[in-house]
Amino acid sequence: RQRQRRVTMSVALNELKDYVGWESGGQARAESTVLLHVTHSNLQARMFEIRLDRHMSVGTVKEKLRTHTGTGSVFAHLTLLDENQQVVADLCDDSLMLGYFSPLDGYTLHITDLDPHSLSAGGGLEDVNLVKKYEISEEDYLKREDNFRAWKEAKKREDPSWSFAKEIKERQDAQRKKADPSFVPEPWKEVETSEESYKELAERIKVGDRCEVTLGGKRGEVRYVGKIPAIAAGWWVGVQYDEPVGKNDGSITSKLGRTSRFFECPPNYGGFLRPDKLLVGDYPERDIFDEEEEDE
């Protein structure tokens, strides 16, 4: 009986494996279809993948590719390449079936465009420098009622503190308010751009001070006071928390992927805050056992 159970389980696992590993290709896949890459003589990039039926004639394949590439069937010469980009066959006879050339998944159909006046010739579909740009004079631009500059000035007249960032925040807040009527958005605060913002508050804080975050009550020790351009302009305070409630280990990674270290601490014990987000003073490390006794 145990052996029968093992066999049944093995069959079930294989069925599950086949189900999970089955490649649908985003559509129902018949046994007669094949997935091929497509490249073009006038285009540098590999264009796309296409699923074709092996029973299609070469002429039908050319017509199908015409709708994707713009190369007319009369001017398209198809070459079938294997996974190593070696020539398998030239598809010269439009009457032959695609399956006659034994294509496999992962092979490439290369289109050679023989049309001397093709739109893609000479980089016509890839080189944006060949595209004639639309130009408008400053005078004509200002005459348009729906120009961007007029829209921006109108926004500024309605709200002198208007900015794109503020506009986006208000829209996001409106969406959250719609989803959750109890949601209370935080007041808008301009992004600090001054290199000396929060300097006065920062000067009152010293490395080694005990501190408590005003929101949440997290406690720790000040480990860094200074500027961190990787985050934003102005002054910051680096804190090593008493518990693993932080977001880093005392280092910051910029958008360019460069990591700068400001102090050493275990992972998830470090954090960086503006000087107005914490208080310094007599904030000893909490004893979780004392808290449990108080709760009792």
Side-chain angles (χ1 to χ4, degrees):
R1 181 175 297 178
Q2 289 182 344
R3 183 177 182 181
Q4 184 177 359
R5 286 179 180 175
R6 292 196 193 99
V7 172
T8 303
M9 184 177 294
S10 177
V11 172
L13 287 174
N14 286 332
E15 290 177 349
L16 178 61
K17 182 179 179 181
D18 291 340
Y19 174 78
V20 173
W22 178 66
E23 178 189 358
S24 67
Q27 59 185 358
R29 179 178 180 181
E31 293 183 359
S32 61
T33 61
V34 62
L35 185 64
L36 302 176
H37 299 290
V38 177
T39 56
H40 195 284
S41 61
N42 292 342
L43 303 175
Q44 295 181 4
R46 173 174 290 186
M47 297 178 60
F48 53 87
E49 288 182 330
I50 190 169
R51 189 170 297 285
L52 300 171
D53 194 296
R54 290 182 173 87
H55 297 116
M56 297 173 66
S57 68
V58 172
T60 303
V61 171
K62 287 183 178 181
E63 185 60 27
K64 187 175 183 65
L65 293 175
R66 180 189 64 79
T67 62
H68 292 278
T69 65
T71 299
S73 304
V74 177
F75 298 102
H77 175 80
L78 303 183
T79 303
L80 183 65
L81 309 174
D82 64 16
E83 64 274 8
N84 298 315
Q85 300 301 296
Q86 299 299 311
V87 175
V88 175
D90 284 307
L91 283 58
C92 300
D93 191 338
D94 288 358
S95 64
L96 290 176
M97 299 294 107
L98 178 62
Y100 174 83
F101 303 96
S102 303
L104 299 176
D105 286 347
Y107 276 19
T108 298
L109 267 182
H110 180 71
I111 305 169
T112 302
D113 192 337
L114 303 175
D115 184 0
H117 306 292
S118 174
L119 291 175
S120 61
L125 296 181
E126 288 185 316
D127 189 352
V128 296
N129 293 320
L130 299 177
V131 180
K132 185 178 180 180
K133 311 298 188 297
Y134 174 74
E135 297 179 357
I136 184 172
S137 67
E138 182 78 5
E139 183 180 357
D140 290 337
Y141 175 78
L142 294 176
K143 289 179 181 179
R144 299 181 60 171
E145 297 180 358
D146 60 344
N147 71 69
F148 170 77
R149 198 174 302 169
W151 174 78
K152 184 177 180 180
E153 290 174 355
K155 287 285 187 179
K156 284 287 189 181
R157 286 194 297 269
E158 296 174 5
D159 178 8
S161 66
W162 178 90
S163 65
F164 281 115
K166 185 177 182 180
E167 176 90 7
I168 292 172
K169 181 182 183 303
E170 289 177 349
R171 294 186 181 186
Q172 291 175 339
D173 289 344
Q175 290 179 347
R176 294 186 63 179
K177 185 74 174 177
K178 185 177 180 181
D180 180 10
S182 64
F183 169 72
V184 179
E186 294 184 3
W188 168 252
K189 189 175 182 180
E190 290 288 345
V191 177
E192 293 290 345
T193 57
S194 171
E195 292 295 332
E196 301 304 322
S197 59
Y198 298 102
K199 180 180 179 180
E200 292 184 6
L201 288 175
E203 288 177 340
R204 303 173 191 171
I205 302 172
K206 303 185 299 297
V207 173
D209 284 346
R210 290 291 302 175
C211 63
E212 181 177 272
V213 179
T214 52
L215 292 177
K218 295 184 290 186
R219 291 186 179 182
E221 179 182 329
V222 175
R223 297 291 308 278
Y224 174 81
V225 180
K227 298 179 181 180
I228 307 178
I231 303 179
W235 288 68
W236 294 84
V237 178
V239 177
Q240 179 175 341
Y241 295 113
D242 297 332
E243 300 176 16
V245 292
K247 295 183 178 180
N248 54 59
D249 61 352
S251 64
I252 291 292
T253 301
S254 69
K255 294 180 179 179
L256 298 177
R258 298 172 183 169
T259 300
S260 301
R261 179 166 295 283
F262 298 90
F263 62 91
E264 296 275 355
C265 75
N268 299 323
Y269 275 82
F272 295 94
L273 306 92
R274 288 297 194 183
D276 63 338
K277 301 300 182 184
L278 53 84
L279 300 172
V280 295
D282 184 18
Y283 295 105
E285 185 173 351
R286 289 191 177 95
D287 190 329
I288 59 174
F289 296 105
D290 290 343
E291 292 180 1
E292 290 177 357
E293 291 176 1
E294 291 177 4
D295 292 340
E296 292 176 358

